[in-house]
């Protein structure tokens, strides 16, 4: 008689791990994480370069400030993906410097008499705004019930559409004032990179297909070398080791006007992060509930409050990486955490950070078309499930998209409004999101009548889509 197996072995297998919590092989984890860094690198380094140039920082100080922003972006990404206590959405979310803060930060610089005090004033305002946002997160997250598919689908579509101009700008070149901006060479390099990514996605399989964007960036950079667009100078000039010394530019200063302006930016950032979490939750098949959004907002705001300690700026979710998740279908949060580790290493090793900087901007633009377009496509997929056969929902989508696209198609539309208001109005994602939420309340909740769910043409409330006359209501 054979010996009986131990009972433990006979126990049913544990439930499968959700793709979000899956730990991939080391090589796949590293390359996929690096792909996330490549997709968001330009967005992280642009704000410190713009603000640093406005202050008049030296080349060495600019390098330090950029490295500090990379370092703090990595720390904020750790908070968001791995989580601590009730902090972190634990989704494949990349965090980095929010571009929404660039305009108010440059305004703070312009209003500061001694430019050496500009960064301490900015840092003090970001710390206060981050702490207030952290306290407000449990209340702010309750807005999740106002985000049904008709709203989330609209917002996701707007995220992708709003990011596409960024890719188009990258495709034209790094300097809008340069003679080669929009040149045939730059646009050709962008087109070649786009073509390479598409070919890799079409004719490869498995892991190679999933890292098509990273491979496209490498190949596009190699193609750019003969054209003299690739600059290896930053690698030669960069230090091997460097640490973002706490409060390197001085102790934080707290000025009421600066704090108020950064609090407005924090509200905008929290609104966009809420929309991004809802979008990512749909993409990875783990819908973001109120608890998840609260935890994610805590990570955003705490990361923002800690960032100035290491000379970084306000942090927020990076929408462009949502497109990467949607396209590759690699949903593991540990992949993004690995990307966060690369960001920390780049902050500690300026030479490593400069390797990503070698990728020409037109090459990034070509890959960005795929990434950001994927976000918009994900939004359309969500809208398909939103019940667009109902006239109310069609109107919600139509008007919200129109409002959200205003800053893209007519950048000076709100020029007569106060600068503080324009911080919100010039964000198509925020205005479109607010419009969608309000219209959904008006059309689908407030004062709903018995026939509110009737299927009618959006422009002809008395007819069904088929054009047949509507039956009279039952008494």
């Amino acid at each position: 008689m054979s010996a009986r197996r131990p009972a433990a072995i006979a126990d049913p297998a544990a439930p499968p791990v959700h793709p979000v919590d899956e730990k991939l092989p080391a090589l796949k984890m590293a390359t996929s994480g690096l792909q996330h860094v490549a997709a968001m690198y330009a967005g992280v380094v642009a704000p410190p370069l713009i603000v640093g140039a406005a202050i008049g920082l030296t080349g060495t100080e600019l390098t330090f400030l950029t490295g500090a922003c990379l370092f703090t972006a990595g720390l904020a990404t750790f908070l968001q993906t791995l989580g601590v206590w009730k902090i972190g959405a634990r989704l494949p979310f990349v965090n980095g410097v929010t571009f929404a803060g660039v305009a108010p930060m440059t305004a703070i610089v312009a209003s500061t008499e001694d430019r050496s005090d500009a960064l301490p004033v900015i840092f003090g305002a970001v710390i206060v705004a981050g702490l207030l946002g952290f306290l407000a997160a449990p209340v702010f997250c309750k807005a999740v019930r106002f985000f049904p598919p008709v709203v989330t689908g609209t917002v996701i579509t707007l995220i992708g559409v709003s990011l596409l101009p960024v890719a188009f700008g990258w495709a034209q070149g790094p300097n809008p004032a340069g003679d080669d901006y929009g040149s045939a060479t730059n646009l050709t390099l962008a087109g070649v990179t786009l073509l390479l990514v598409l070919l890799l996605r079409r004719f490869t399989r498995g892991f190679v297909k999933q890292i098509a964007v990273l491979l496209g960036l490498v190949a596009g950079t190699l193609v750019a070398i003969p054209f003299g667009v690739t600059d290896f100078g930053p690698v030669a000039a960069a230090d091997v080791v460097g640490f973002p010394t706490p409060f390197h530019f001085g102790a934080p200063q707290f000025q009421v006007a600066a704090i108020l302006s950064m609090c407005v930016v924090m509200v905008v950032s929290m609104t966009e992060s809420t929309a991004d979490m809802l979008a990512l939750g749909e993409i990875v098949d783990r819908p973001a509930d109120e608890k998840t959004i609260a935890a994610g907002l805590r990570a955003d705001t705490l990361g923002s409050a800690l960032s100035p300690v290491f000379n970084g700026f306000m942090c927020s979710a990076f929408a462009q990486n949502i497109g990467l998740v949607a396209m590759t279908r690699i949903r593991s949060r540990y992949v993004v955490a690995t990307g966060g580790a690369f960001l920390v290493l780049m902050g500690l090793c300026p030479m490593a950070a400069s390797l990503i900087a070698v990728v020409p901007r037109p090459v990034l633009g070509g890959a960005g078309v795929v990434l950001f377009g994927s976000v918009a496509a994900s939004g359309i997929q969500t809208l398909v499930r939103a019940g667009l056969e109902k006239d109310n929902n069609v109107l919600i989508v139509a008007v919200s998209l129109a409002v959200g696209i205003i800053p893209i198609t007519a950048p000076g539309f709100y020029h007569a409004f106060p600068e503080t208001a324009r911080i919100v109005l010039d964000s198509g994602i925020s205005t479109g999101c607010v419009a969608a939420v309000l219209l959904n309340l008006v059309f689908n909740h407030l004062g709903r009548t018995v026939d509110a769910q009737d299927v009618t043409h959006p422009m002809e409330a008395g007819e069904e889509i088929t054009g047949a006359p509507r039956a009279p209501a039952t008494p």
Side-chain angles (χ1 to χ4, degrees), residues 350-431:
M351 183 173 287
S354 65
L355 289 174
I356 298 292
V358 168
V359 180
R361 201 63 61 85
V363 173
L364 280 174
V369 171
V370 179
L371 294 177
F372 306 156
S374 297
V375 177
S378 297
I380 294 171
Q381 287 178 333
T382 303
L383 286 174
V384 170
R385 306 193 304 270
L388 292 186
E389 71 277 4
K390 299 181 178 65
D391 63 330
N392 288 350
N393 288 345
V394 172
L395 288 173
I396 292 169
V397 174
V399 176
S400 300
L401 286 177
V403 170
I405 291 174
I406 286 175
I408 303 172
T409 56
F413 190 82
Y414 300 111
H415 72 277
F417 285 75
E419 186 68 29
T420 303
R422 290 179 60 189
I423 294 174
V424 179
L425 296 174
D426 285 340
S427 170
I429 298 173
S430 295
T431 54

